[in-house]
Amino acid sequence: MKSIQSVLCFFFAASLLLTSCSTSNHQSNASAELSMIGENGEHIPVEPVVTDASLTDRALEVSSQLEAQPYIETALIVFSPSPEDEAQLCFQANLRGSQLDAHADEIWSIATQGLDAFDAENSAILDASTGQLLPLS
């Protein structure tokens, strides 16, 4: 009786092992879509923006400079060509800190330093703590 139980346990364990090994070879496919929710609650697809390496490098440099300011805790900034004139750059800055509105001119200066052509109309500084858009100089 014990030998029959041992054989059945072995058979069950072997079949479980074979089943799990055979299903682990299957590749799973996943996909994602970036979207935002519109005013009516509908999902609006958003195409990802592809930036070149120089814009990414500039964004990292400016983010570091902004985070070095004592009134800024975290900074995320993205530079992109202007939708109206690709020769100009615009930026979107998302900042968390204290009294950012009092330092808007300084933030603007740090973000635009070294740029010859800049699109202020399509740029924005957001105080993530309050949700307030800061005025651009």
Side-chain angles (χ1 to χ4, degrees):
M1 186 66 139
K2 275 235 185 226
S3 64
I4 293 176
Q5 285 179 334
S6 297
V7 170
L8 288 176
C9 284
F10 175 75
F11 179 73
F12 179 71
S15 64
L16 183 63
L17 180 63
L18 288 174
T19 303
S20 65
C21 288
S22 67
T23 59
S24 67
N25 289 335
H26 297 286
Q27 291 181 346
S28 62
N29 294 325
S31 65
E33 182 178 290
L34 184 62
S35 66
M36 64 182 200
I37 298 176
E39 292 177 6
N40 299 333
E42 75 277 8
H43 287 274
I44 302 168
V46 176
E47 292 297 321
V49 176
V50 178
T51 61
D52 65 34
S54 65
L55 294 180
T56 302
D57 292 344
R58 177 168 181 77
L60 291 172
E61 179 184 329
V62 172
S63 291
S64 295
Q65 290 175 357
L66 288 169
E67 287 178 346
Q69 304 306 311
Y71 52 87
I72 296 178
E73 296 169 24
T74 58
L76 173 65
I77 189 166
V78 176
F79 287 91
S80 61
S82 167
E84 296 171 8
D85 180 4
E86 289 195 16
Q88 294 183 345
L89 289 181
C90 58
F91 73 88
Q92 313 308 302
N94 212 346
L95 310 174
R96 184 174 299 278
S98 60
Q99 299 177 345
L100 296 179
D101 54 340
H103 300 281
D105 290 338
E106 187 176 351
I107 295 168
W108 168 263
S109 176
I110 292 170
T112 60
Q113 70 186 10
L115 293 178
D116 296 330
F118 198 78
D119 181 1
E121 293 292 319
N122 290 299
S123 296
I125 300 172
L126 175 70
D127 182 343
S129 301
T130 64
Q132 173 186 3
L133 283 174
L134 302 180
L136 299 177
S137 298

